[in-house]
Structures are given as C-alpha cells and as structure tokens.
Amino acid sequence: MYEDKTLVCKDCGKEFVFTAGEQEFYASRGFENEPQRCKACRDARKNAGHGTREMYTATCAACGKEARVPFKPREDRPVYCSECFAKMKEEG
C-alpha cells in the first residue's frame, strides 16, 4: 500500500527517504502531513533548546569530597556527591 518517498528537508535542503514503514506509522497515529525535515535536522531542532546546565561546586555532607551539582546549594540543606547520594538511595 505504501511506497518509499524521497522528500527534501526544508532546513538543509538535502533529500531524505520517507519509508513505507514510517508512512504507515504516521497514518496509524493520525498524522496527515509528511515530515518536512530529515532526521538530523529534526534531532538538532529538538535539542536546540537544551543548553548546557550551569553546575555548582559544593562539599559532600557525608564524605567531605567536592561535588558538582546542577542546582545552587543552600546552607540549610545538605548536598551529597553522586556516590553518597546513590548509597543513601539504596539504603532507603
């Protein structure tokens, strides 16, 4: 019923194949429009909003080692390195 189609990416202008399997998947999900971007451009667009996270340095409350965390540590809350955090999680 479906046949592979060659489409042109609207971002990079390169040709890509919209396979019969992909067409069947799109139809099963109720999608009516064909993809406009190749896989590489779709992935790049998906990840564009994800910049690098600012990391903060803290001292682990359990072992005293330096820990890098993705949040600003507060004085009233303990911060743990990834090893100590994992141990605490295992212990329940």
Side-chain angles (χ1 to χ4, degrees):
M1 181 172 166
Y2 295 103
E3 291 183 21
D4 290 358
K5 287 184 184 179
T6 301
L7 303 175
V8 177
C9 178
K10 80 176 206 175
D11 285 353
C12 68
K14 293 181 183 173
E15 291 185 346
F16 66 99
V17 176
F18 185 34
T19 66
E22 290 170 331
Q23 292 174 52
E24 192 172 342
F25 173 79
Y26 270 53
S28 73
R29 297 286 190 251
F31 300 143
E32 296 178 4
N33 300 323
E34 296 177 341
Q36 296 184 359
R37 293 176 179 85
C38 65
K39 173 105 173 82
C41 289
R42 283 196 313 265
D43 290 346
R45 187 174 161 91
K46 203 180 300 181
N47 295 326
H50 305 288
T52 56
R53 267 185 148 169
E54 184 174 356
M55 298 295 279
Y56 298 88
T57 302
T59 303
C60 177
C63 70
K65 287 191 220 169
E66 183 178 289
R68 306 261 304 140
V69 293
F71 56 88
K72 189 170 185 173
R74 295 181 359 199
E75 295 295 322
D76 62 330
R77 306 278 314 247
V79 174
Y80 302 99
C81 67
S82 52
E83 292 173 13
C84 291
F85 185 75
K87 284 179 195 170
M88 290 175 62
K89 225 173 153 182
E90 285 175 11
E91 293 170 4

